[in-house]
Amino acid sequence: MAAARALPLTATLLTGTVALYITLVAFGNITDFGTNQQFVQHVLAMDTTFKDDDLMWRAVESKGLQDAAYIAIIAWETIAALVLILGTFQWLRHDHLRARRTSTLGLLMLMLLFGAGFLAIGGEWFAMWQSEDWNGLDAAMRVFLLSGVVLVVIHLPVDAARGAGGSSGAGG
């Protein structure tokens, strides 16, 4: 019985933790626009990579395109933060089915941004792994893994925590 109550509480706290984290990231990127703008510019320009002629054609040197990419990242982070804040409140209201759906959406948004965006596109396509100065792969992996772990936790069956045959009351 206690485990059945602990799972929604855990989901609430973990979703809230990720919501807080990405809210602070988005807030920091908005209020200190220039710091990570430089990061995005250097990654896209590939100006601190090994300068391999076979890769350099991928570089995006247009400041307009670099800024558009950065603004898109901030917008995505902000929307994900709002979705996860909503999910946290749904967990708090014990609307577990909606909370699970909403939290899943927000967590998948982060996994796409940090997995597909930073690890795959930034890390491989723009060879961010080659840069000693502008390499965000470790930070991206941390967010990707944190989001994945929370996603798994929120999808654990509450029925399993109650025992066989028990009703979860958690909406799934």
Side-chain angles (χ1 to χ4, degrees):
M1 186 79 161
R5 281 187 239 127
L7 227 72
L9 176 61
T10 301
T12 304
L13 295 174
L14 289 176
T15 302
T17 298
V18 179
L20 174 62
Y21 172 77
I22 199 62
T23 298
L24 293 174
V25 168
F27 181 76
N29 284 339
I30 292 167
T31 59
D32 183 18
F33 189 85
T35 298
N36 282 329
Q37 178 188 32
Q38 289 180 33
F39 179 88
V40 171
Q41 287 174 343
H42 285 289
V43 170
L44 295 180
M46 300 174 68
D47 57 2
T48 60
T49 63
F50 299 162
K51 305 271 197 282
D52 184 339
D53 288 338
D54 293 330
L55 298 179
M56 291 308 293
W57 64 270
R58 300 175 184 177
V60 174
E61 296 175 343
S62 163
K63 296 286 188 214
L65 288 176
Q66 294 168 347
D67 288 346
Y70 184 47
I71 290 167
I73 290 167
I74 294 171
W76 191 267
E77 291 169 342
T78 302
I79 294 167
L82 293 171
V83 169
L84 289 168
I85 289 168
L86 175 60
T88 302
F89 282 114
Q90 290 169 333
W91 284 113
L92 287 169
R93 289 192 325 250
H94 303 286
D95 188 355
H96 297 158
L97 183 59
R98 283 191 183 150
R100 185 173 287 136
R101 288 179 184 158
T102 304
S103 299
T104 297
L105 175 61
L107 293 165
L108 287 175
M109 288 179 71
L110 292 182
M111 293 182 81
L112 285 171
L113 176 62
F114 288 91
F118 291 110
L119 295 173
I121 295 170
E124 290 303 318
W125 185 257
F126 291 107
M128 180 170 51
W129 64 270
Q130 294 180 3
S131 177
E132 290 182 24
D133 298 319
W134 303 101
N135 185 337
L137 292 176
D138 287 343
M141 183 58 77
R142 284 191 301 270
V143 178
F144 182 80
L145 290 176
L146 172 64
S147 299
V149 167
V150 175
L151 186 62
V152 168
V153 169
I154 68 171
H155 284 278
L156 290 174
V158 176
D159 286 342
R162 286 189 178 228
S167 174
S168 74

